[in-house]
């Protein structure tokens, strides 16, 4: 079963998000779940994997995004509830 | 029947998902699909009985405010029937259970 930890990196503007996704996928063994756009320039990159991998990749992703664009916030949910996964349209 | 309706509106998707996770873990409630409102605002729909929804909204707001900004939150004990029919506030698991 894939890791259940979810990592979020949210930036304003897409360049930062693409940099963050690139850094995250290279840093650790995580899987890109979704890139969510909610208007107003807010774009969120969402990765999943083991807690340790997600933690290190989110840190790297946040740093990469901050260098290029405007980093809004980052978050790690170690073990999200199934309904949250269902919201994202992903199997836990 | 799910009667009470709780809504948490945050600025940012990350805070919204943190609110959803905290809410659904803190009480016996079910989530509706998150709503993209535009301008970076996201709504989390929480359904269940009144006490559970109140506790869930409280927990969600607290968790989300640590990460992002919570714009607004509300608990409607008995939403009007027409509201439930027209607005996308039915819980995701509704189709499974009914």
């Amino acid at each position: 079963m894939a890791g259940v930890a979810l990592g979020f990196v949210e930036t304003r503007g897409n360049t930062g998000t693409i940099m963050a996704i690139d850094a995250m996928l290279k840093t650790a063994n995580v899987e890109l779940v979704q890139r969510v756009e909610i208007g107003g320039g807010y774009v969120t990159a969402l990765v999943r994997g083991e807690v340790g991998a997600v933690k290190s990749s989110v840190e790297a992703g946040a740093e990469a995004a901050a260098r290029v664009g405007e980093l809004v916030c980052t978050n790690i949910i170690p073990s999200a509830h199934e309904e949250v996964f269902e919201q994202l349209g992903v199997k836990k | 029947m799910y009667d009470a309706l709780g809504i948490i509106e945050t600025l940012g998707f990350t805070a919204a998902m943190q609110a959803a996770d905290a809410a659904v873990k803190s009480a016996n409630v079910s989530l509706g699909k998150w709503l993209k409102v535009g301008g970076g605002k996201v709504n989390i729909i929480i359904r269940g009985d009144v006490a559970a929804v109140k506790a869930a909204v409280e927990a969600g707001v607290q968790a989300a405010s640590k990460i992002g900004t919570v714009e607004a939150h509300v608990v409607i004990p008995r939403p009007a029937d027409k509201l439930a029919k027209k607005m996308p506030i039915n819980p995701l698991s509704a189709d499974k259970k009914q």
Side-chain angles (χ1 to χ4, degrees), chain A residues 2-90:
Chain A
V4 288
L6 288 175
F8 298 78
V9 174
E10 186 158 15
T11 64
R12 283 191 77 144
N14 192 35
T15 325
T17 308
I18 300 299
M19 281 293 290
I21 293 172
D22 179 59
M24 283 198 273
L25 295 180
K26 285 177 185 163
T27 304
N29 171 22
V30 291
E31 179 201 342
L32 176 65
V33 175
Q34 250 175 15
R35 187 179 73 86
V36 184
E37 275 176 28
I38 51 170
Y42 285 82
V43 187
T44 305
L46 178 55
V47 291
R48 88 182 272 177
E50 297 303 328
V51 181
V54 166
K55 201 184 284 288
S56 56
S57 65
V58 163
E59 268 152 29
E63 195 199 303
R67 238 185 288 125
V68 172
E70 180 203 340
L71 179 71
V72 175
C73 63
T74 64
N75 184 29
I76 295 167
I77 303 182
S79 165
H81 195 274
E82 304 90 66
E83 294 221 14
V84 175
F85 276 92
E86 205 180 310
Q87 286 238 338
L88 302 170
V90 180

Side-chain angles (χ1 to χ4, degrees), chain B residues 4 6-7 13 15 21 32 35-36 55 59 73 81 84 86-87 91 93-94 96-97:
Chain B
I7 298 177
F13 179 73
D21 187 58
L35 295 171
K36 181 174 100 167
H73 60 277
D81 295 344
K86 289 282 185 296
M87 293 300 122
S93 50
K96 267 184 250 144
K97 286 203 177 95

Side-chain angles (χ1 to χ4, degrees), chain B residues 15-36:
Chain B
M17 282 303 133
Q18 179 64 42
D21 187 58
V24 85
K25 280 179 179 168
S26 72
N28 175 19
V29 292
S30 58
L31 298 177
K33 183 81 176 84
W34 62 276
L35 295 171
K36 181 174 100 167

Side-chain angles (χ1 to χ4, degrees), chain B residues 51-67:
Chain B
V53 168
K54 246 190 201 108
V57 166
E58 219 48 60
V61 165
Q62 219 193 346
S65 48
K66 288 202 194 87
I67 297 164

